């Protein structure tokens, strides 16, 4: 397997058959080698830096009904909340004082916020903090809406493709369209956002063939960011009794993405940290170079529960900032508080 890993390291290229063979045959030794090479690759691109993003979870209302997600429309046990503009701006002020220069606004697909609301919010944050990047993660919208957000000053957009196997996508997303989601990603790229795609690992029925689809899709899309986390069941969803994805498989995917898209911004996700006490550290060692500590107000933190066992739901933003810094340093990496744009988007400016 080492020759396929070396080939990906050297060329960034791999065929469907090679990827599948690799995933089917990886053993302990070749997995360790994969992580080593991914680590080498990340050092050659961004050194040992880990970029920080402050995450603000501003609404858990959602019109979608994703089978895995704790804030799905049909979950009557979810305690719904929305943050008003002043509260969101206050989170940004606190985040800015703590040194954050990227704010990620994430939420369910909440029709309460009109395009005008989102535009005003982006403008208000940019006017308070012109030195900061804004990342949106608010789901599928029309190309026109995305353009309005971009024109208002938003810099980046996260929209995981979730899985690039159409049949699996459709089983997991009642009344959503696989084609529409993929189209959104291309629209976002065309408009000029730094774009984040990504997928979950360990979904019920997900096989190595499906991960190959995800990896080949990422090679084609060439996103700036890729969010990969384990699926973790949430008790009030139809998948409550399914098993979680594993730390090992998630780290394998992180390493492969680091080799296939060397410059990509790749978070060690909160889901990974929730699955395992050292999950985020392991994610960084496997090629991750971003973490997204929570800036949401503590009184609503325990309501944005996409999955069970989410970490840091009771912690103040300042506490999270210190805790994550220690974790990053404990595995030999260095915190970078700059905006942390993708290197290609810097040369374009
Ligand atoms: N509404 C936005 C944000 C979704 S929440 C959107 O559609 O993009 C952010 C991510 O959390 C999702 O993209 C999904 O990959 C992940 N997620 C949701 N439920 C999860 C679960 N049970 N386990 C792990 N990750 C989950």
């Amino acid at each position: 397997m080492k020759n396929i890993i070396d080939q990906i390291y050297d060329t960034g290229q791999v065929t469907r058959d090679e990827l599948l063979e690799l995933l089917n045959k990886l053993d302990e030794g070749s997995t360790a080698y994969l992580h080593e090479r991914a680590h080498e690759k990340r050092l050659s691109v961004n050194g040992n830096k880990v970029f920080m993003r402050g995450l603000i979870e501003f609404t858990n209302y959602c019109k979608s009904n994703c089978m895995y997600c704790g804030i799905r429309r049909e979950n009557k046990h979810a305690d719904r909340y929305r943050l008003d503009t002043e509260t969101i701006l206050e989170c940004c002020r606190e985040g800015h004082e703590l040194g954050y220069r990227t704010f990620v606004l994430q939420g369910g697909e909440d029709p309460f916020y009109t395009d005008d609301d989102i535009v005003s919010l982006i403008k208000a944050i940019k006017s308070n903090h012109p030195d900061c990047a804004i990342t949106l993660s608010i789901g599928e919208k029309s190309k026109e809406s995305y353009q309005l957000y971009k024109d208002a000053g938003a810099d980046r957009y996260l929209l995981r493709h979730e899985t690039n196997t159409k049949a699996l996508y459709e089983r997991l997303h009642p009344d959503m369209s696989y084609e529409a989601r993929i189209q959104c990603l291309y629209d976002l790229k065309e408009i000029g956002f730094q774009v984040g795609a990504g997928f979950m690992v360990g979904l019920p029925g997900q096989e190595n063939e499906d991960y190959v689809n995800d990896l080949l899709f990422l090679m084609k899309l060439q996103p700036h960011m890729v969010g990969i986390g384990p699926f973790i069941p949430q008790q009030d969803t139809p998948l409550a009794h399914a098993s979680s994805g594993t730390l090992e498989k998630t780290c394998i995917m992180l390493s492969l993405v680091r080799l296939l898209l060397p410059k990509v911004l790749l978070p060690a996700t909160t889901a990974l940290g929730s699955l395992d006490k050292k999950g985020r550290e392991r994610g960084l060692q496997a090629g991750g170079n971003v973490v997204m500590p929570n800036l949401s107000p503590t009184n609503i933190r325990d309501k944005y529960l996409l999955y069970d066992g989410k970490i840091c739901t009771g912690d103040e933003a300042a506490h999270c900032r210190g805790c994550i810094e220690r974790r990053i340093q404990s595995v030999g990496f260095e915190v970078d508080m700059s905006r942390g744009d993708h290197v290609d988007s810097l040369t374009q400016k």
Side-chain angles (χ1 to χ4, degrees), residues 61-62 64 66-71 105-110 136-140 157-162 173 176 181 198-201 203 227 229-234 237 239 271 304-308:
Y61 281 87
C62 194
S64 299
C66 310
M67 302 294 267
Y68 44 80
C69 184
I71 62 169
L105 300 175
Q106 189 177 83
E109 308 223 2
D110 184 354
L136 297 175
S137 177
I138 54 175
E140 294 176 33
Y157 205 104
L158 302 178
L159 186 81
R160 291 188 182 178
H161 64 278
E162 311 296 3
H173 304 94
M176 285 169 71
R181 194 154 188 100
F199 57 98
M200 276 174 284
V201 174
L203 289 163
F231 158 71
I232 303 175
Q234 201 282 340
T237 63
L239 300 179
Y304 196 82
L305 294 182
L306 311 181
Y307 46 83
D308 291 335

